[in-house]
Structures are given as structure tokens and as C-alpha cells.
Amino acid sequence: MDRPVVRPAVSRWLTTVRPVITVAVIAGVLVLAWMAASRLTAEVSYDDLMTTVRETPRWALLSALGLTLLSFAALAVYDFGALAYVGRKIPAPVVGLTSFCAYAVGNTAGFGPLTAGAIRYRFYTPYGVETEDVARIVAFVTGAFGVGLAGVTGFGLLVASVDVSTLPISSLGMKIVGGGLVIGLFTLWAVAGQGRVVTVFARPFALPSRGILIRQFVATAVDIIASAAVLWVLLPAGSIDLPSFIAVYAVAIGLGVLSHVPAGLGVFEAVVIASLGPHIDVRDVLGALVLYRVIYHLLPLVLAAAFIAVLELRRVAGSPMAMVAAQAGARLAPPVLAGLTLVTGGVMILSGAMPLDDAVVNLLDGKVPLPLVEGAHFLGSVLGVVLLAVARGLLHRLDGAWWAAVGVVCLDLFLSLLRALGPEELVLSGFLLLVLLASRKEFTRKASLLHQTLTPQWLLAVVTLLVTTVTLLFFVYKDVEYANQLWWQFEFSQHAPRSLRAVMGVVLAACFGAAWMLMRPARATLLPPTPEELDKAMAIVATQPAPEACLVAMRDKSLLFSEDGRAFIMYSRQGRSWVALSDPVGPRDCWPDLIWRFVEMVLAAGGRPVFYQVTAEALSYYADAGLRGFKLGEEARVRLPDFTLKGSKKNNLRNSLNRSEREGITFEVLTGDQVAAHMPELATVSRIWMKHHSVREKRFSLGAFDPQYVLTQPVAVLRQNDRIIAFASVIQTTCKDSAGIDLMRFLPDTPHGVMEVLILRLILHFQAEGFQWFTLGMAPLSGLSDSEAAPIWHSVGRTVFDHGEWFYNFSGLRAFKAKFFPEWRSRYLAVRGGINPMIALTDITVLISGGFKGVISK
């Protein structure tokens, strides 16, 4: 008896703890990686490391910079090839800028909404690229990188030095593995262009043509060789040949990606040190890794932020292409600045674990009070934690996050004078401040910074920085024996106690912030709209074009208004899914902030944010809020100014109208008091129709026969012998852009084709009234791709569309609407990825059907 109650509770508990378990497992991998690296570098001191870094030849640094530029130039070819593969074209400067910024952020932050794929999705959808094509672009890039990595590794193993085996396999084993990878590459080339479909990360992927494959492999090879060479030239000259090192580098990169640790931090370093340590001085390897992270990861991010700042300041020519690039810069500003702020916060945290510069300490000694120096060091590290939270707010375009970032950076610059920081950290903070000031107008959302939801990806980023900081603390002060007295030592020359207190402050601040975000009570409660709210919503509906917004009059959905009261979202809840119906209703400039407010409200309540039946034009707004678009079907819309009954293709429609006239069927549109006067007769038709078809009233995205709701709009009726035989409730707004139908009911004994006649009469009626569009509603699962390379969402939906007649007549509905020669417009489900779309669609089905009983009994 208890099982039906226990299972949902257990399911909810598993859903809640699964992200925490995932973060814990990845954090465990990170701890093990840093422990391994620490053991391998046990003989290296912090002073030795700094000496090695400072002694790196200038030619090696310049070579590393040049190779980094070459690598990122090759990365841009990925996007050009992917766009050609999906048949899309975007201006070249815009693609180049997007690719550079995406990889600059993704390589450095590398998690959740700051990955290269997420940034592409945010950027490409406003240029008319369908979400399915974005998914194919990401799959193409992922597959190209994987193939290129395998191919370059194979060639590297084949020509690697026999005497210097840096991998834990024999020389013969290296040749066998390398040969296998090369053979696999040639096999792939042989079958390319024949329509073959492979699977990349559980996603079907049609192989490109041989020409695209060769071009992409060359670009990938250049990218991997150049990026590996960045680290290789920073090692002592002649210590290892490049082919052997490429094999080591490829393994390290692959394991870093598989670990899911942001930027592979710790895992990449442990693999490289373990592989090269037996053959190269560990001090040199560690110094090269530090410089590699700065040159290949940090500098591109700084350069991307500089590009964004230049574009924001409009320091470009006034050509159309320059304006397109400027618009691209505006869209890229939030993720790039979020990534730079995250990195700056990390640098501030890591600097707290390092000793102060002795020369500056001697300068401060006797001139600045010791408590100020100690306080500045401690507070500066804690401010780094604040920047981690602020970075997420910048990604969400929060006005408060911008002010907080500016305030924190300004305070850090002041404290840096007392913290005796190196010039590099001062330059980084100062540069971030300049870019923030240049991009001020991109951060206008007024949502509260304190009510952000801590996602697993951001929690993992914080944990990664904390683990790395603690590891750095133990590395720097490995020669200092721990004692309780360290906590209470306050002297200019005592660096270890100062760093120990700073790291403890960082850990406590991070734990306090995480506890605040995880444990604060959910504030959102679903309530039906009050009469005042309903009147306010109806006033907004009357002034905008989307007729489906009239469904707010059903009073079965809660309302969330924009802060200025000019727009609203109507939504309901089923299970953990909070489902908003269609796009926000109201002026488009209100949509971004309103979408963000809804998503944050739902996440704060532990729910799943879902937007149902949204348009393609608004997908970029949902992408900015971390949601992906999944095609639901197509909406049929008749363009009224062009509609005509002339021509041979319209014979059937003309015959239907002529036959209805011969049978004495008349058409009329009832309004206001006329609807009220005929309400009993309309109710009778509705009741007989429902009984005949054995159906229940639907809800949420469809209207129900509720007299109070029916009275809010006109009703079109067909009469025969002075009795109503069919009717349809009309949804329209005063702006005369679009009109449509909601409820359609008819008597079982009506002449054949009566609903076709009713729709035709309505089309002609609204054409005469001067409307632009007449919507016939959506054909679910229509227009999904039947290609073998289509995403799994399309494959499942297409199968249901073709073979799901026992549940719903999907293909018949589309065929009926196609009789009126409409234009088809895609409609989408906006939700997070993974299994969320399937769960959300199930919840929506229950919501529309009025409960699980309605799903079973229609």
C-alpha cells in the first residue's frame, strides 16, 4: 500500500542528490589527480618553479604566442566547415569572432553555459540557424576534433622516437596502436560521402563528403600540432622530439576531457608530468605547464575580451559588415566577460595561497601597519569568491552583477597596493575593469543577484578552484611544518600563516555562499490570477498580435508580470515541470528579462523551467537563459491578403462551399450579448459532441467549454433549419494581425465536411475584416527530419508521427490543415537538455489532459 507513495519520494530524492553525487565524483577525480601531481613534484620547490618560469627564453615565449594564434586560426575552420556541412552561411568575420571567443571561453572555463557549444548555440540561433542545425554543428566540431586527435596521435606514435618512449607501453605497442588509428582514419575517408551515419556521443551523425573531411582533418591536425607545440617549445630544447610529445599531449587532452573537470585542470597536468617526468627535469615540466596555461588559456580569453571592448566602443568602420560584427560582439559580451571574471576571481583566490614578494614586503615594513597588510591579503582572497558568484550574474546580464563586479575589482585594485601583488595580477584586474566599463549597456536586467540558483556546473567550478588552491598552498609551503601556532602568527616575514588564513577564508566564504543558495527556502507559489491581474493581462493581450494569448481568459494558469507591467508569462505546473505557454505576451523588449525571471523563479523552487510552443524568432532569448529548443511541430497559418478560391487546386474548397449553400447552411459570427443569448444551444452542441467522441475537456494550451471563457470572444456558428449545427470560438486581438480558432464542436448528424466549411467561412470573414493571418493551430510532430542523421528527438517524434494513429491522428491532422494551403511555421519546446525534454513533454500531456485519467480516457 505504501509503495505508490514511497517511489515518488525516492525518485525525487534521487533527482535531488544526483547532481551532488556527480560533482562529488568529479571532485574526487580532481583530488586524486592533484595528489598524483603533488607526489611527482615532491622534489620541486616553489622558488625553483618561479626561477624556471623567469628563465624561460624569450624566443620560446614568442614562439608559444605565435603557435597559439595558429591553433586558434585553425579552430575557426571548424565552424566554417560545420556551417558548410549543415548548409548555412553567416558572414565570415562574424564566424571567426564567434569561434575565437567560444574557444577562448570554453578552453579556459569549459563547463555548463560557458562551453564552446553553448556559446555557439547562443550566437547562431539569432542568425536563423535552427536548433537542430546548431546541434549538428556541435556534433560536427566534436567529431572533427575526435577524428583529428586520433589521426594525429596515430601518426605521432608511428614516427615517435624508439629510444624515448614516454607512454606506459612498449615501442612495438606504440607502433601497433598508431597503425590502428591511421588505418581507422583511412577507413573513415573511404566510406565518407556515401551517406553513412555514425554515432558521436549518442548523436547520429552523417559523414561529410571526402573534400570536407580532408579539409577538416588538415585544420584539426594543424590545431592539435600547434597547441601541442605551444607546450613543447616551453620545454628545454632537445628534451623530447615533437611526434613523441604529441602522443603524450593527445592522451593528456583526452583524459582531461573525459574527467569532466573544468578545463581538465589537474588531470592534464598529472598526465603530462607522469609521462615526461622520467625523461625531463620535473621542474622544467612544471614551469612549462604554468606558462602553457597562461599563454594558451588565459591570453586568448583576455584578447577576446579586448575584441569585445573594442566592438562595444564602436571603434570599427561604419560599414555594414562592421555593424554585423558589432552586433555579434554585443551577444558575445556576457559569456566572454563571465569567463574573464571567473578567471580573475580564480587568480585572486590562488594569489592568496602564494607568498608576498619579498622586495615589496621590505618596502611596506615600517611604512604600512601590519594589520592593513594582513587584512588586505585576507579580504582580497575572499573577494575572489565573490567574483565567482558575480561571474554567473554577468552571464545572465544582471545589472546588479555588473555593479558588483565593478565594485569588487575597484576594491581589489586598492587592496592590491597592500597585498604586494605582482604586476600581472594588477594588469588583469585593471583590464577587467576597463572591459566592464566598455560593455555597460549589455547588462540591464534588474533581477536580484542574491537569488541566483547554484547549478552543479558552477558548484563544480568553485570546487575545482578550491581544490587547486589548497593543492597550491601545500606545494608552496611544503617545507613549513604545520603547527597550531601558525594561525596566530602575524609578521611581515611570515608568509605561510598569512596564506593559511587566506585559504581558510576562501573555503569558509565559498561554503557559506553555497549553503545560502542551496538552503534558502523556495519562494514561488502557484496561485490563480486575481480579477485585477486578469484584467491587466487582458489589456495587454488586446494590444499584441498573438491570438493564442487569449487563452489567459481560461483562468487556469498563473501569471508572472514584467517589472514594468507591460508583459506577462502564463504558466502552470505538473510534477517538477513549470510550463509557460508560448512566448511572453507583450512588447518584445520585455521578453529577455521576463524569461530570466521565470527561469530563476522555477530553479529557486527546485523545478524544471519549460516553455511550450515558442517561436523560432525567440529561441535566442531562451538560449541566453540556458534552455535549448526542441522542435514540437509546425503551426499552420493562412496568409489572408493572398488567399483565394480561384484555381484548379481550390476545386474541393469551392465545391464544399457551394454544397453547403445548396444544403441551406448559413454562417454568422456572434459577439457579446448574442453569444450569451445562444449559450444554452452552444452548450448542448458541445455536450453532444463530447459524448459522441468520448472525450474530456482539455486545458492549458486549449480552451474548454466554460461559459465565462466562451463569452470573452466571438463565436462563429453554422446554422441549418434555424438550429446551430456547428460552432467555433474565435481568438483575436484588436490589432487585427492574426486570428484563429480554439473550441470547435459540431453535431454528429451534420452534413459531411461541415468543419471545413466553417473554417473557410472564417478565413473569408477575417480576410474581409483586414486581418493578415488566420492560424489553424499546430500540427504536432510535423516537419521533423526523417534523416538517419537527425537528432534522437526527431527520430522518436517522426516514428510517433508515422505510426501513432492508435493514440492520436498526427498525420491526418496535418493533412486536414494542408487543405487550406497554409504557410508552416515551426514551434518549439524550450527546456534544458538530457532527458528533460521527454519528461517535460509527458508532464505537458498530463497538464493538457487535466490529469493522468484524462491521458488514458482521451
Side-chain angles (χ1 to χ4, degrees):
M1 294 296 295
D2 293 334
R3 286 186 178 179
V5 177
V6 173
R7 284 178 178 173
V10 172
S11 178
R12 287 194 299 270
W13 180 80
L14 289 175
T15 301
T16 303
V17 302
R18 186 182 294 114
V20 178
I21 294 175
T22 302
V23 172
V25 170
I26 297 175
V29 172
L30 176 64
V31 170
L32 292 176
W34 276 127
M35 288 177 63
S38 298
R39 291 179 181 176
L40 293 170
T41 58
E43 303 301 323
V44 181
S45 68
Y46 175 74
D47 291 335
D48 291 338
L49 174 61
M50 290 296 99
T51 299
T52 301
V53 170
R54 286 191 290 266
E55 291 179 351
T56 302
R58 181 170 298 180
W59 68 264
L61 298 176
L62 294 176
S63 299
L65 287 172
L67 290 166
T68 298
L69 292 177
L70 177 60
S71 174
F72 274 82
L75 287 173
V77 180
Y78 284 34
D79 282 67
F80 286 109
L83 288 167
Y85 171 71
V86 301
R88 296 286 181 170
K89 192 170 184 180
I90 296 177
V94 174
V95 177
L97 177 64
T98 303
S99 172
F100 180 78
C101 292
Y103 282 110
V105 175
N107 288 349
T108 306
F111 69 94
L114 290 178
T115 59
I119 293 175
R120 284 192 188 91
Y121 182 81
R122 291 166 180 266
F123 176 78
Y124 286 144
T125 49
Y127 281 83
V129 180
E130 296 275 355
T131 55
E132 293 82 6
D133 287 337
V134 176
R136 293 171 66 199
I137 289 172
V138 173
F140 180 93
V141 171
T142 303
F145 178 77
V147 170
L149 185 65
V152 172
T153 304
F155 283 113
L157 291 174
L158 282 177
V159 301
S161 171
V162 177
D163 298 328
V164 185
S165 176
T166 57
L167 295 175
I169 55 176
S170 66
S171 176
L172 178 61
M174 291 170 58
K175 303 298 182 185
I176 293 175
V177 172
L181 291 174
V182 172
I183 292 174
L185 180 66
F186 278 106
T187 302
L188 181 64
W189 177 82
V191 300
Q194 300 179 7
R196 299 290 182 89
V197 177
V198 297
T199 300
V200 181
F201 291 101
R203 186 182 298 277
F205 184 71
L207 292 179
S209 66
R210 291 177 179 174
I212 293 179
L213 190 64
I214 293 174
R215 181 179 62 192
Q216 200 62 42
F217 175 75
V218 171
T220 307
V222 172
D223 162 42
I224 295 172
I225 293 172
S227 60
V230 173
L231 180 55
W232 180 69
V233 298
L234 296 171
L235 294 169
S239 57
I240 181 176
D241 61 276
L242 182 58
S244 296
F245 180 76
I246 289 174
V248 173
Y249 181 85
V251 172
I253 286 291
L255 292 177
V257 171
L258 292 176
S259 70
H260 289 84
V261 175
L265 192 63
V267 177
F268 175 81
E269 282 78 4
V271 174
V272 172
I273 294 172
S275 300
L276 301 184
H279 312 286
I280 305 175
D281 191 331
V282 175
R283 180 185 63 178
D284 294 325
V285 177
L286 196 57
L289 285 169
V290 170
L291 291 172
Y292 169 80
R293 286 288 185 182
V294 172
I295 294 173
Y296 193 77
H297 289 260
L298 179 57
L299 286 184
L301 181 59
V302 172
L303 188 57
F307 284 158
I308 297 300
V310 170
L311 292 173
E312 288 295 315
L313 293 173
R314 299 294 189 265
R315 295 175 185 169
V316 290
S319 64
M321 189 63 67
M323 292 307 299
V324 170
Q327 294 173 0
R331 288 203 55 79
L332 291 169
V336 170
L337 272 178
L340 183 60
T341 303
L342 184 74
V343 170
T344 303
V347 170
M348 291 167 60
I349 291 172
L350 293 173
S351 67
M354 293 188 290
L356 303 181
D357 185 84
D358 289 332
V360 180
V361 168
N362 294 333
L363 181 63
L364 296 176
D365 193 0
K367 298 182 179 64
V368 179
L370 179 60
L372 286 181
V373 176
E374 294 283 356
H377 195 81
F378 181 87
L379 183 58
S381 299
V382 173
L383 287 176
V385 179
V386 176
L387 274 189
L388 300 185
V390 170
R392 186 167 185 271
L394 291 174
L395 181 65
H396 296 173
R397 300 176 182 267
L398 297 187
D399 172 78
W402 185 88
W403 283 105
V406 170
V408 169
V409 173
C410 288
L411 182 56
D412 180 65
L413 288 172
F414 172 73
L415 294 176
S416 297
L417 301 176
L418 304 177
R419 295 174 69 194
L421 293 180
E424 300 85 1
E425 295 161 9
L426 287 172
V427 169
L428 181 61
S429 295
F431 176 75
L432 175 59
L433 178 61
L434 292 176
V435 179
L436 284 169
L437 294 175
S439 306
R440 172 67 185 99
K441 63 185 180 62
E442 303 301 332
F443 302 92
T444 56
R445 293 189 57 238
K446 301 295 183 182
S448 173
L449 180 62
L450 297 177
H451 290 94
Q452 297 184 93
T453 303
L454 183 64
T455 62
Q457 295 92 341
W458 286 90
L459 178 60
L460 179 59
V462 173
V463 170
T464 299
L465 281 171
L466 293 182
V467 172
T468 303
T469 302
V470 173
T471 303
L472 180 61
L473 177 71
F474 282 105
F475 171 76
V476 173
Y477 300 108
K478 65 175 66 177
D479 296 329
V480 178
E481 188 173 344
Y482 174 80
N484 292 335
Q485 291 79 5
L486 288 174
W487 295 99
W488 316 113
Q489 290 182 5
F490 296 92
E491 299 179 24
F492 273 104
S493 60
Q494 295 297 321
H495 301 301
R498 187 179 300 115
S499 296
L500 188 63
R501 289 188 290 269
V503 171
M504 179 55 67
V506 166
V507 173
L508 291 176
C511 291
F512 175 80
W516 164 262
M517 293 183 179
L518 290 172
M519 298 178 64
R520 67 176 186 270
R523 302 176 300 145
T525 303
L526 268 69
L527 296 173
T530 65
E532 294 76 15
E533 289 177 331
L534 192 59
D535 291 342
K536 182 179 178 180
M538 292 302 294
I540 296 173
V541 169
T543 62
Q544 56 81 51
E548 63 267 21
C550 297
L551 288 169
V552 70
M554 275 289 295
R555 308 184 311 280
D556 62 341
K557 292 172 276 292
S558 300
L559 303 180
L560 176 68
F561 287 92
S562 61
E563 300 218 350
D564 58 11
R566 295 187 300 133
F568 69 90
I569 285 175
M570 46 183 165
Y571 64 97
S572 293
R573 180 174 63 189
Q574 174 62 42
R576 289 185 59 244
S577 298
W578 297 53
V579 187
L581 179 59
S582 194
D583 295 319
V585 182
R588 188 173 285 266
D589 62 289
C590 297
W591 290 15
D593 181 67
L594 195 50
I595 291 170
W596 270 113
R597 287 183 57 206
F598 178 77
V599 170
E600 290 171 346
M601 177 186 71
V602 175
L603 293 178
R608 177 186 301 107
V610 184
F611 286 83
Y612 180 61
Q613 290 191 10
V614 301
T615 58
E617 295 80 9
L619 284 177
S620 61
Y621 299 135
Y622 302 107
D624 284 342
L627 307 181
R628 289 181 55 194
F630 297 85
K631 192 170 184 178
L632 283 171
E634 295 176 310
E635 177 191 16
R637 299 198 307 162
V638 178
R639 186 187 293 273
L640 296 179
D642 301 332
F643 183 79
T644 179
L645 289 175
K646 298 178 180 179
S648 58
K649 294 182 179 180
K650 307 293 178 64
N651 277 337
N652 291 335
L653 297 180
R654 290 196 302 271
N655 291 336
S656 295
L657 282 181
N658 294 334
R659 184 171 60 251
S660 68
E661 292 176 355
R662 291 194 300 268
E663 293 172 344
I665 297 176
T666 61
F667 169 80
E668 183 182 1
V669 176
L670 308 177
T671 59
D673 293 339
Q674 293 176 313
V675 177
H678 291 83
M679 189 64 70
E681 191 174 2
L682 296 174
T684 299
V685 174
S686 177
R687 184 173 61 253
I688 294 174
W689 181 85
M690 293 184 65
K691 183 178 181 180
H692 178 75
H693 291 276
S694 301
V695 297
R696 293 160 51 98
E697 289 283 12
K698 304 301 183 183
R699 299 283 176 177
F700 187 63
S701 64
L702 299 171
F705 192 89
D706 177 352
Q708 190 173 354
Y709 168 68
V710 175
L711 283 170
T712 62
Q713 293 286 349
V715 176
V717 298
L718 291 180
R719 286 191 177 94
Q720 188 178 40
N721 300 325
D722 292 328
R723 68 166 184 153
I724 296 177
I725 61 172
F727 75 87
S729 61
V730 178
I731 49 178
Q732 65 181 69
T733 65
T734 58
C735 67
K736 288 193 172 183
D737 178 85
S738 301
I741 49 178
D742 184 18
L743 289 168
M744 292 185 67
R745 307 284 162 91
F746 57 92
L747 295 175
D749 58 349
T750 58
H752 176 71
V754 66
M755 299 314 295
E756 181 178 313
V757 171
L758 181 55
I759 292 175
L760 271 174
R761 292 294 188 186
L762 279 169
I763 290 174
L764 296 174
H765 168 77
F766 285 109
Q767 184 184 52
E769 291 289 318
F771 281 72
Q772 299 299 307
W773 296 94
F774 185 80
T775 176
L776 301 172
M778 198 175 77
L781 305 182
S782 169
L784 300 183
S785 174
D786 57 356
S787 169
E788 291 184 21
I792 185 65
W793 175 267
H794 281 236
S795 302
V796 173
R798 189 74 190 183
T799 300
V800 174
F801 182 85
D802 292 336
H803 308 289
E805 293 86 355
W806 61 272
F807 179 73
Y808 189 85
N809 190 13
F810 294 101
S811 57
L813 180 61
R814 179 184 171 92
F816 174 77
K817 294 180 177 181
K819 292 180 180 180
F820 305 97
F821 300 92
E823 296 182 11
W824 297 96
R825 181 171 70 163
S826 298
R827 289 279 188 163
Y828 294 85
L829 178 76
V831 66
R832 291 184 169 185
I835 64 171
N836 285 301
M838 302 297 183
I839 298 175
L841 201 54
T842 301
D843 288 338
I844 291 169
T845 303
V846 175
L847 193 62
I848 294 174
S849 302
F852 287 99
K853 185 177 179 181
V855 176
I856 298 172
S857 61
K858 297 186 180 180

